Amino acid sequence: MATKELKSEISYAQETTLSAPTTEAITSVGVWDKFKDSFKPALQTETLTNAHVNSENADSLSDLERININSANSKLNRKLQNRHLQMISIGSSIGTGLFVGSGSALNTGGPGGIMIAWFIMATAVYTTIQGLGELSTTFPVSGSFNVYASRFIEPSAGFAVGWNYFMQFFVLLPLELVAGAITIKYWNKDINSNVFVIIFWLVIVLITLLGVRWYGEAEFIFSMIKVVTVVGFIILSIVLICGGGPSNEFVGGKYWQNPGPFANGFKGVCSVFVTAGFSFGGTEMIGLTAAETPNPRKTLPKAIKQVFWRISIFYMGTLVMISTLVPYNDSRLMNASSSVDATASPFVIAIVNGGVKGLPSVINAVILISVLSVGNASVYATSRSLNSLAEQGMAPKWAGYIDRAGRPLVAILATDIFGLLALISASNKQEEIFNWLLALSGLSSIFTWISINVSHIRFRAAMRSQGRDLSELPYRSQAGIWGSYYGLAINILVLIAQFWIALFPLGGKPSAYGFFISYLGFPVLLASWVGYKIWKKSLRLWIKAEFIDVDTGRVNIDTDLIRQEAVEEKQALSSRSFIYRVYKFWC
């Protein structure tokens, strides 16, 4: 273990190193020279922390201490602004899962099934992200939840979860490029898919190589379009339900009566329960932005709170409209040929049923934007995850190369190049290939959320065991420790439900192929965990609470200032109206 002197110096270093990294001044004149120099290795001000890591004393550090120190001193640039975080938090999981996937879920579970399943999963995701907000605001380190699993549970957990999360989004980029090419065929079915695969690939490569600030700008625009579309759809749906559309038909709740609220009983609800869990994938990505935000202590809590509004308005509000306007036995839902087939989108079906012309093409355009947004976000997620794994010594050192623009360059290029796998879209084997690639990490989001829940529980246990007061935290989960227990329980139930559906599929016979396509992610995760144990020759299952490091990586630890700000905020709120206090609590 590190000596007291080393820990003291590490704590001091944290107050000076978690700002944007200092890079060597580029003295060359001209845009081209500056562009070339930006690809050179990032240079960081030599700190006491780095000095110890690179000195002979580094040999005395354990793997876990190296992980904590390296993740706390990342060279990523902190250029994401507050408005970027706000829109990333709102739009990160609004995509084809909502615009199209909700249609197959409606067909499987019925209106009652999707409302129950999505509501339960929404509450679990909300409590999980609240726990992540507490950890990310306290420890705005590179890798976020990957590092938290290593730090608060055990490094083998971080290794398994980190690589599984990397694979999830690594495979997602080529899949989204293919989806974008298929979406284009809504207007012209004779177009060569590979032409648009290359076009979309070049767009994503350009955005990702421009740096994190431009990723934030792109996601700001993409998310704004998606949000406006969802809000507009909800308003239009209310008009259609009340009979204000061209057909002048009052819809009311007739589809809840005929064909009814549930399509396939309890098993149908369980199946939708799994689909709902997957639809929220990407919500946790807000945690990855902590290491690239100038003032995470102020901006992250606001972004984390936006999850409540996203869930309440964009998901639940939209699902209420869809379940009211579209019968679950509509043939267009049952005959969906593609996960990005706009004709299978309940948004499009609801508008067509209402007699509104022209808008289906608009919805299809938004689906295309959503596909590009997810592809862009997948490069961000994979590059930051691979960089974090390299910093933790769980991936080749070269994979963690960061240039002077603050880009994890090697990780970005590796992800972009793999995206060219989308060129197999012209092959008749594309569906089988992508099915198996997705199966490798099909449960990744659930595993990640479970690791966040357990990490938060272990962090609170460490604080309690070491006699630390929660008042020193810059942000506390609104759901508290019990929220993480609740999120953990629901996510475990999702795994159980997925196992049941994989073993006994709805409307089909049990098969080994179907089971492994649905549940291969679990044995892959287990093999990763066991493999790391064998590699490190470690039998430890978890870190004891009294030995968990609750200091390294924290920015400007001034507990008195934090307490004073909390008191002043309460006093200021006490003089405001009840409505304003409710607004500040949720926003």
Side-chain angles (χ1 to χ4, degrees):
M1 302 298 289
T3 62
K4 292 183 178 179
E5 290 78 7
L6 176 58
K7 288 185 177 180
S8 176
E9 290 170 350
I10 289 173
S11 179
Y12 169 78
Q14 291 153 15
E15 299 180 6
T16 60
T17 62
L18 285 179
S19 57
T22 303
T23 58
E24 182 183 272
I26 299 176
T27 58
S28 303
V29 177
V31 175
W32 177 246
D33 289 324
K34 291 181 180 180
F35 175 74
K36 289 192 301 180
D37 286 346
S38 71
F39 292 95
K40 293 179 179 179
L43 296 178
Q44 192 171 29
T45 302
E46 184 72 9
T47 66
L48 290 175
T49 301
N50 288 330
H52 274 283
V53 170
N54 295 322
S55 70
E56 295 180 358
N57 290 335
D59 295 332
S60 64
L61 296 176
S62 67
D63 288 341
L64 185 57
E65 287 170 328
R66 289 171 183 269
I67 289 172
N68 293 340
I69 294 171
N70 288 339
S71 62
N73 290 277
S74 176
K75 300 173 186 177
L76 296 173
N77 276 350
R78 295 180 177 268
K79 290 187 176 181
L80 284 177
Q81 301 175 19
N82 181 49
R83 62 185 178 87
H84 296 150
L85 295 187
Q86 296 298 319
M87 293 311 296
I88 289 172
S89 69
I90 292 174
S92 61
S93 63
I94 298 178
T96 54
L98 177 63
F99 290 122
V100 182
S102 55
S104 62
L106 177 62
N107 175 240
T108 301
I114 64 171
M115 293 307 300
I116 292 172
W118 252 273
F119 176 77
I120 293 175
M121 278 310 305
T123 56
V125 170
Y126 171 72
T127 57
T128 299
I129 300 305
Q130 280 293 316
L132 176 61
E134 179 175 306
L135 294 174
S136 298
T137 307
T138 307
F139 304 97
V141 298
S142 171
S144 186
F145 40 82
N146 295 339
V147 175
Y148 302 149
S150 297
R151 181 174 193 156
F152 300 120
I153 306 174
E154 211 273 331
S156 58
F159 178 85
V161 170
W163 275 108
N164 207 253
Y165 192 78
F166 167 82
M167 280 300 301
Q168 175 191 5
F169 285 96
F170 194 60
V171 173
L172 195 58
L173 175 59
L175 185 68
E176 292 301 315
L177 290 173
V178 172
I182 293 174
T183 305
I184 288 291
K185 289 191 173 186
Y186 176 81
W187 293 284
N188 189 337
K189 294 183 179 180
D190 298 326
I191 291 177
N192 186 332
S193 297
N194 282 340
V195 172
F196 281 92
V197 165
I198 291 295
I199 292 173
F200 297 146
W201 181 78
L202 289 173
V203 170
I204 290 175
V205 168
L206 177 62
I207 294 173
T208 54
L209 287 180
L210 285 175
V212 69
R213 178 174 172 270
W214 288 101
Y215 160 74
E217 294 292 352
E219 283 304 297
F220 180 84
I221 296 172
F222 290 152
S223 296
M224 183 68 74
I225 293 172
K226 290 186 288 185
V227 167
V228 170
T229 300
V230 170
V231 172
F233 174 77
I234 291 175
I235 295 173
L236 174 62
S237 296
I238 294 173
V239 173
L240 294 177
I241 291 170
C242 296
S247 62
N248 294 320
E249 178 188 4
F250 176 76
V251 178
K254 73 174 186 177
Y255 293 133
W256 280 74
Q257 299 175 3
N258 183 23
F262 298 101
N264 292 288
F266 179 71
K267 194 170 187 178
V269 174
C270 287
S271 181
V272 176
F273 192 51
V274 173
T275 305
F278 293 154
S279 75
F280 286 110
T283 310
E284 72 289 331
M285 201 177 295
I286 189 68
L288 287 176
T289 65
E292 297 176 85
T293 305
N295 191 0
R297 181 176 160 188
K298 296 293 184 183
T299 56
L300 270 179
K302 293 180 180 179
I304 291 294
K305 289 179 179 180
Q306 293 297 323
V307 174
F308 170 79
W309 293 109
R310 179 175 66 228
I311 291 172
S312 299
I313 297 176
F314 301 129
Y315 266 93
M316 301 309 298
T318 300
L319 291 172
V320 168
M321 301 299 120
I322 289 172
S323 64
T324 306
L325 288 170
V326 181
Y328 73 73
N329 60 355
D330 190 295
S331 60
R332 287 164 291 186
L333 298 177
M334 293 184 283
N335 296 327
S337 59
S338 169
S339 61
V340 291
D341 184 357
T343 60
S345 168
F347 284 68
V348 173
I349 294 172
I351 293 171
V352 171
N353 288 350
V356 180
K357 306 289 185 180
L359 282 182
S361 288
V362 175
I363 296 296
N364 196 65
V366 175
I367 291 173
L368 178 59
I369 289 172
S370 299
V371 165
L372 292 175
S373 174
V374 174
N376 186 39
S378 68
V379 179
Y380 180 83
T382 51
S383 59
R384 271 57 183 182
S385 296
L386 184 56
N387 173 71
S388 172
L389 289 167
E391 289 177 342
Q392 296 180 67
M394 298 174 179
K397 189 175 181 179
W398 51 263
Y401 178 90
I402 298 178
D403 63 20
R404 295 185 183 181
R407 298 169 295 206
L409 191 60
V410 172
I412 289 174
L413 290 175
T415 308
D416 286 339
I417 291 172
F418 186 77
L420 290 174
L421 182 66
L423 292 174
I424 69 170
S425 59
S427 167
N428 57 4
K429 294 289 185 180
Q430 62 161 311
E431 184 175 350
E432 184 176 350
I433 293 172
F434 280 122
N435 280 344
W436 281 111
L437 287 174
L438 285 172
L440 291 173
S441 57
L443 299 171
S444 179
S445 291
I446 307 300
F447 296 145
T448 300
W449 295 338
I450 287 176
S451 75
I452 292 171
N453 295 137
V454 177
S455 295
H456 184 232
I457 292 169
R458 297 294 297 158
F459 168 64
R460 286 290 189 93
M463 292 285 286
R464 183 172 60 252
S465 175
Q466 297 175 30
R468 305 291 286 269
D469 198 295
L470 295 181
S471 63
E472 68 185 61
L473 300 180
Y475 175 76
R476 275 186 276 179
S477 167
Q478 292 175 325
I481 189 68
W482 292 109
S484 290
Y485 277 112
Y486 172 78
L488 176 62
I490 295 299
N491 283 306
I492 290 175
L493 287 177
V494 171
L495 288 181
I496 295 172
Q498 174 69 352
F499 182 83
W500 182 36
I501 298 300
L503 201 58
F504 304 102
L506 187 67
K509 296 181 179 180
S511 70
Y513 177 85
F515 176 80
F516 283 109
I517 283 291
S518 299
Y519 220 74
L520 183 61
F522 184 78
V524 168
L525 181 88
L526 188 62
S528 301
W529 181 77
V530 173
Y532 187 86
K533 288 290 186 185
I534 296 173
W535 176 29
K536 292 297 182 179
K537 299 178 181 179
S538 171
L539 297 177
R540 181 177 60 181
L541 296 179
W542 63 82
I543 304 168
K544 292 184 178 180
E546 57 265 31
F547 297 129
I548 291 177
D549 183 356
V550 295
D551 289 315
T552 304
R554 295 178 66 173
V555 185
N556 297 325
I557 305 174
D558 189 339
T559 56
D560 291 335
L561 178 61
I562 292 175
R563 293 189 182 100
Q564 181 181 347
E565 288 181 347
V567 171
E568 291 176 353
E569 183 178 353
K570 287 182 179 179
Q571 290 176 345
L573 285 176
S574 63
S575 61
R576 305 299 293 268
S577 66
F578 174 75
I579 295 177
Y580 181 82
R581 292 199 299 271
V582 171
Y583 167 78
K584 290 297 292 184
F585 177 81
W586 291 113
C587 298

